[in-house]
Amino acid sequence: MKAGQKRKKEKTAKTEKPAPKSEENAELTLQPFHIVGVGASAGGVEALREFLKGVPADSGMAFVLILHLSPGQKSMLSDLLAQCTTMDVHLAEEGMMVEPDQVYVIPPNADLHIGGGRLSLAEPLMTRGFRQPIDHFFRSLAEDQGENAIGVILSGTGSDGTLGVKAIKAQGGLVVVQDEESARYPGMPHSAIETGMADLILPLEEIPKRLVEYADRSILIRKRQRPREIQQEISDVLPQIFQVIRGQSGHDFSNYKINTVVRRIARRMAVNGLESPADYLRMLKENPGEIKALFQDLLISVTQFFRDPEAFEVLEEKVIALLVRDHEGEEPLKVWIPGCATGEEAYSVAILFQEKLNEYGRQNLKVQIFATDLDEVSIDFARQGRFPENITADISSERLGSYFRKVDNVYQVIAPVREMIIFSPHNLTRNPPFSRLDLICCRNLLIYLDAEMQKKILPLFHYALKPEGFLFLGTSETVGALGSLFDTLDKKWKIYRRRESAQPVAIDFPLKPAAHIFPKEKVGHPIPPLETQVAALAERALLSRYSPPSVVINEKFEAVHFSTRTSRYLEPPVGEPTMNILKMAREDLRPALRAAVRKALTRKEVNIYQDLRVKVNGETDTINLVVEPYPSQGLALVIFEPVLPSSGSAPSAEIPPTSMRREDQEGIIRQLEEDLRITSEQLQATIEELETSNEELKSSNEELMSMNEELQSTNEE
């Protein structure tokens, strides 16, 4: 007992007056190292004890432990935890420098902050009730340490830490969460996992080991980064990595800033315990789950309610107040928020509009906010309008009471605000932009894109805005060399107003990454042997002479490829040129062709109409019409198969009906029955088309319509 007390006194003394460091130790301290913020509440003391028992004393990491402590009682937590580790355990003090292989514990009745590697204490904003000390520290840790920050969420109730792990992930740090089954109280782990930001979800006993592995791997990668070897190795495989992502998600990241992409890939390599970019590329090809994880990492953006409050105050007074007060006509005010992530910024803007509508008594003025993002998971979250309790750190109590309702420990956005916003997936570089907009809020998206792509997006924004419309960018973004397109309304908070250009602004759309970023290797195409060429020529000759005429069409009935000899059944129509096969087909063919193509494309099955009579240049041909769909490619093959005449063919029109032979009469009856069947199926196809059109008209009246419909309707306006 006396030995333990002596050890505690030694530790206390060391905390109060750190020993001077030698130059060698000071140099080591200057080297980057990981700072691990560990958050816990109910059941947290037991979890922290088990956690520290698994951490080696020489891990090279520092640990800052944040718990929900009673503000009115002295804490013995640092003494309890000191018994579980050979590392020094300190009660955090003002100005204390964080060092590797040390443990720091938050004191009671204080919020802990880190800046410049030093801890600072602040009196909590709320001494009683709902507090967020974990979020408070995690956010400062993310801002101060960036990629060296690690956030760990252990057992606890509530949602503290949820906003903090988002901030850490946004800065390229690591997020680790105790799995819900091993947590005594799973509330905090569950809330953190629901964000989709967790890199690792592990049982408590496995977390220390994986943290050490991650730190060691990061150090190895950093050592190779100094001569830029690892960056070069990653850059060499980037085109292939982008191709793999594009193949699964359909999105191209080659226009992102290369340094940002390289850092995110290096982080994923460390998470997966890989040193070689080639090994990581192999893992991507074999593991679709890792493609999704990298995709989410590349999309991460910092978002919260009223981020940079002063910026939103300026936006409210200089832009939104002006729009609401001076707007005339019945057309709604239109706002576009590209890169909306999980929707906090979109709801912030909607709240500002609602406040001004109430202030100016213009509740009948309609406001449409189009909030878009690449990530459909984030869009789905944003649509729900449900946010954790700890948004109280970003929203005033007045706004919480006016625009949110507390439901099951979450805050639900009220209907009038929610109904202003249409959330939809949208690719800024590929999908059509909105048009005739009053305001575009694009904050902290351009900073992730290279300079060439920024120069293409800003003219697109200029086109999308109304004359004198407004553009709101992030604090680190600017219109740069394209200042001639915009007037500066607020230089500090990057608010601009559209300026009319003397000359038409050239818009390169769809936006494509610069070709020089990743020059493609020239691949020679070997010349086939002479025997192969001769065989190919022979096959083409036989197909052109003996195969039936055919046409390949797409889902819009447009011809994309013709074989030989199709002119007997298809001819260009009079007037405007078209590739629509129904307009080019002979009149006798159109009913059967419409029904056959419609059935083939909707039912995905081969359709055949036999013995069709087609008048061609005064003659009558008998053909079989075959339509074979290719659903995977959205195409169909239409074949006009001639039927050879037989001795029992139908007689010519000059023979009186009374002299017809029985077999001739049966042939005509079959033809009439076939014509009736074709007419019936054509009618059915028309009815189905009408029903489909009616369903589309109904769905267009719903609030959440698909992005393509939204963009198309906006462009038509």
Side-chain angles (χ1 to χ4, degrees):
M1 186 71 179
K2 292 181 179 180
Q5 291 175 347
K6 181 179 180 181
R7 182 184 177 194
K8 292 175 187 175
K9 289 179 180 179
E10 290 174 352
K11 289 183 178 180
T12 303
K14 184 173 183 179
T15 301
E16 294 172 352
K17 187 176 181 180
K21 299 183 179 67
S22 64
E23 291 184 3
E24 180 181 0
N25 289 336
E27 178 66 24
L28 288 173
T29 302
L30 292 175
Q31 299 300 320
F33 61 95
H34 290 96
I35 298 180
V36 184
V38 186
S41 64
V45 175
E46 179 183 350
L48 287 173
R49 288 170 62 90
E50 293 300 317
F51 173 81
L52 289 177
K53 287 178 182 178
V55 178
D58 57 351
S59 68
M61 296 179 285
F63 300 88
V64 182
L65 312 183
I66 312 295
L67 282 89
H68 292 182
L69 301 175
S70 175
Q73 297 182 4
K74 183 178 180 181
S75 173
M76 302 295 293
L77 183 60
S78 56
D79 293 334
L80 291 172
L81 297 179
Q83 302 171 6
C84 306
T85 177
T86 56
M87 292 184 288
D88 291 328
V89 179
H90 310 271
L91 188 65
E93 296 180 0
E94 180 69 30
M96 184 176 286
M97 177 66 73
V98 177
E99 301 176 8
D101 301 319
Q102 306 286 310
V103 179
Y104 305 87
V105 181
I106 186 173
N109 199 30
D111 281 339
L112 193 59
H113 181 91
I114 184 169
R118 292 184 180 274
L119 299 176
S120 61
L121 303 179
E123 185 176 344
L125 296 177
M126 296 179 63
T127 57
R128 296 283 179 183
F130 187 73
R131 292 176 53 202
Q132 309 94 28
I134 302 172
D135 277 328
H136 184 87
F137 179 76
F138 277 17
R139 284 180 166 183
S140 68
L141 178 65
E143 184 177 353
D144 186 57
Q145 296 296 311
E147 297 175 5
N148 291 320
I150 298 178
V152 179
I153 296 293
L154 302 181
S155 172
T157 58
S159 59
D160 193 11
T162 299
L163 301 181
V165 298
K166 288 183 178 181
I168 290 175
K169 188 67 176 287
Q171 296 298 327
L174 182 73
V175 174
V176 183
V177 181
Q178 181 181 1
D179 68 15
E180 298 179 53
E181 293 183 1
S182 69
R184 184 176 176 185
Y185 294 92
M188 277 174 40
H190 175 77
S191 182
I193 293 170
E194 284 291 297
T195 65
M197 302 295 172
D199 294 294
L200 299 171
I201 303 171
L202 302 168
L204 178 59
E205 61 271 14
E206 294 184 19
I207 294 178
K209 177 184 176 182
R210 294 298 295 272
L211 288 179
V212 172
E213 292 175 354
Y214 173 80
D216 291 344
R217 194 68 57 187
S218 298
I219 291 173
L220 290 174
I221 292 176
R222 281 202 187 100
K223 287 180 178 178
R224 296 171 64 190
Q225 278 183 327
R226 289 172 185 168
R228 294 188 177 274
E229 292 178 6
I230 192 68
Q231 288 97 327
Q232 185 58 50
E233 290 179 25
I234 293 177
S235 297
D236 290 342
V237 299
L238 268 183
Q240 299 175 67
I241 291 177
F242 289 149
Q243 184 177 0
V244 172
I245 298 175
R246 187 166 55 247
Q248 176 167 306
S249 68
H251 300 300
D252 187 3
F253 286 92
S254 55
N255 51 287
Y256 272 45
K257 287 182 179 177
I258 302 303
N259 290 338
T260 300
V261 174
V262 167
R263 288 198 304 270
R264 296 297 167 101
I265 292 175
R267 198 187 78 88
R268 292 304 308 171
M269 289 169 56
V271 171
N272 289 284
L274 300 174
E275 290 183 56
S276 168
D279 290 339
Y280 184 67
L281 174 60
R282 192 177 304 112
M283 180 182 186
L284 281 176
K285 292 179 178 179
E286 297 172 353
N287 186 354
E290 180 58 28
I291 299 176
K292 182 178 179 181
L294 179 59
F295 177 77
Q296 294 293 333
D297 267 21
L298 294 173
L299 288 181
I300 291 300
S301 59
V302 180
T303 178
Q304 64 189 67
F305 284 96
F306 300 100
R307 185 172 186 240
D308 302 320
E310 186 180 342
F312 277 90
E313 291 176 5
V314 175
L315 178 72
E316 182 179 19
E317 296 305 322
K318 291 188 177 182
V319 177
I320 295 178
L322 184 67
L323 290 174
V324 172
R325 185 187 63 210
D326 297 343
H327 185 75
E328 298 178 354
E330 297 181 358
E331 184 180 4
L333 286 170
K334 293 182 180 180
V335 182
W336 182 19
I337 304 179
C340 69
T342 48
E344 287 88 340
E345 182 172 308
Y347 287 114
S348 299
V349 173
I351 288 172
L352 295 182
F353 270 101
Q354 188 63 53
E355 288 178 344
K356 288 304 175 184
L357 291 174
N358 295 338
E359 180 179 340
Y360 290 109
R362 303 205 63 181
Q363 287 83 357
N364 293 331
L365 176 59
K366 186 176 181 180
V367 179
Q368 284 185 338
I369 300 176
F370 303 98
T372 64
D373 199 274
L374 273 180
D375 186 7
E376 295 189 26
V377 176
S378 295
I379 288 293
D380 289 340
F381 180 90
R383 280 185 180 137
Q384 297 175 25
R386 294 165 61 89
F387 297 92
E389 293 175 301
N390 43 12
I391 62 171
T392 54
D394 302 320
I395 304 177
S396 67
S397 57
E398 292 79 8
R399 282 175 172 161
L400 273 176
S402 300
Y403 302 109
F404 295 83
R405 296 291 178 265
K406 189 76 171 293
V407 181
D408 297 332
N409 296 322
V410 298
Y411 282 101
Q412 175 76 57
V413 179
I414 63 172
V417 173
R418 173 65 188 87
E419 291 168 359
M420 284 187 190
I421 309 173
I422 295 174
F423 290 100
S424 191
H426 179 266
N427 188 327
L428 183 60
T429 64
R430 289 174 54 190
N431 299 130
F434 293 88
S435 60
R436 296 191 56 77
L437 298 165
D438 297 280
L439 170 65
I440 295 177
C441 298
C442 183
R443 309 189 73 222
N444 306 306
L445 173 61
L446 298 182
I447 57 174
Y448 294 105
L449 304 176
D450 59 37
E452 289 298 322
M453 185 55 66
Q454 292 183 25
K455 290 179 181 178
K456 295 179 180 180
I457 287 178
L458 288 170
L460 198 69
F461 287 165
H462 183 272
Y463 160 79
L465 287 168
K466 287 181 179 179
E468 299 189 350
F470 297 92
L471 175 64
F472 183 30
L473 300 179
T475 54
S476 301
E477 298 167 333
T478 178
V479 296
L482 297 173
S484 60
L485 301 180
F486 300 93
D487 291 319
T488 302
L489 193 63
D490 191 282
K491 184 176 181 180
K492 179 179 180 181
W493 298 115
K494 307 301 172 65
I495 300 177
Y496 303 91
R497 194 165 195 171
R498 185 184 187 273
R499 176 193 298 175
E500 286 299 324
S501 178
Q503 298 179 347
V505 180
I507 299 175
D508 180 16
F509 190 84
L511 308 182
K512 298 178 181 178
H516 66 271
I517 297 178
F518 300 114
K520 295 183 179 180
E521 298 179 5
K522 296 182 179 180
V523 181
H525 297 282
I527 300 175
L530 179 60
E531 300 82 15
T532 305
Q533 297 182 55
V534 172
L537 289 172
E539 288 179 3
R540 283 198 294 270
L542 289 170
L543 288 172
S544 64
R545 180 171 299 181
Y546 297 108
S547 64
S550 62
V551 184
V552 178
I553 63 172
N554 59 22
E555 293 177 335
K556 298 179 180 179
F557 289 43
E558 296 171 338
V560 296
H561 181 268
F562 294 93
S563 73
T564 59
R565 298 178 289 115
T566 57
S567 60
R568 193 163 181 82
Y569 309 107
L570 304 174
E571 62 178 355
V574 177
E576 184 180 354
T578 180
M579 297 299 287
N580 188 301
I581 192 174
L582 296 179
K583 295 182 180 180
M584 291 189 290
R586 302 280 181 181
E587 186 175 352
D588 295 339
L589 264 178
R590 290 177 187 172
L593 185 59
R594 179 187 298 274
V597 172
R598 176 73 180 178
K599 287 173 63 178
L601 292 177
T602 56
R603 301 180 186 180
K604 313 302 182 185
E605 60 185 25
V606 179
N607 271 262
I608 302 175
Y609 289 89
Q610 295 181 329
D611 298 330
L612 298 179
R613 305 290 179 86
V614 185
K615 291 181 181 180
V616 182
N617 300 327
E619 300 177 357
T620 300
D621 284 1
T622 303
I623 67 168
N624 293 332
L625 177 64
V626 182
V627 182
E628 182 175 351
Y630 297 95
S632 61
Q633 302 177 26
L635 303 173
L637 176 64
V638 180
I639 303 172
F640 307 101
E641 187 178 75
V643 178
L644 297 177
S646 62
S647 58
S649 59
S652 63
E654 285 79 9
I655 302 177
T658 56
S659 62
M660 284 186 184
R661 293 174 296 181
R662 183 178 180 82
E663 55 267 25
D664 295 333
Q665 294 177 359
E666 291 177 352
I668 292 177
I669 291 173
R670 284 197 302 271
Q671 179 65 42
L672 292 172
E673 288 176 344
E674 181 67 11
D675 291 344
L676 180 60
R677 183 174 71 88
I678 292 171
T679 304
S680 176
E681 291 184 351
Q682 182 186 7
L683 178 60
Q684 181 62 33
T686 305
I687 292 173
E688 291 177 358
E689 289 178 356
L690 180 61
E691 290 176 348
T692 302
S693 299
N694 288 336
E695 288 297 325
E696 291 176 354
L697 289 173
K698 290 178 182 178
S699 64
S700 66
N701 293 324
E702 296 177 356
E703 179 184 5
L704 294 177
M705 59 188 66
S706 68
M707 192 58 197
N708 287 335
E709 291 170 348
E710 267 308 320
L711 295 177
Q712 183 63 33
S713 66
T714 306
N715 288 334
E716 288 174 357
E717 291 174 10

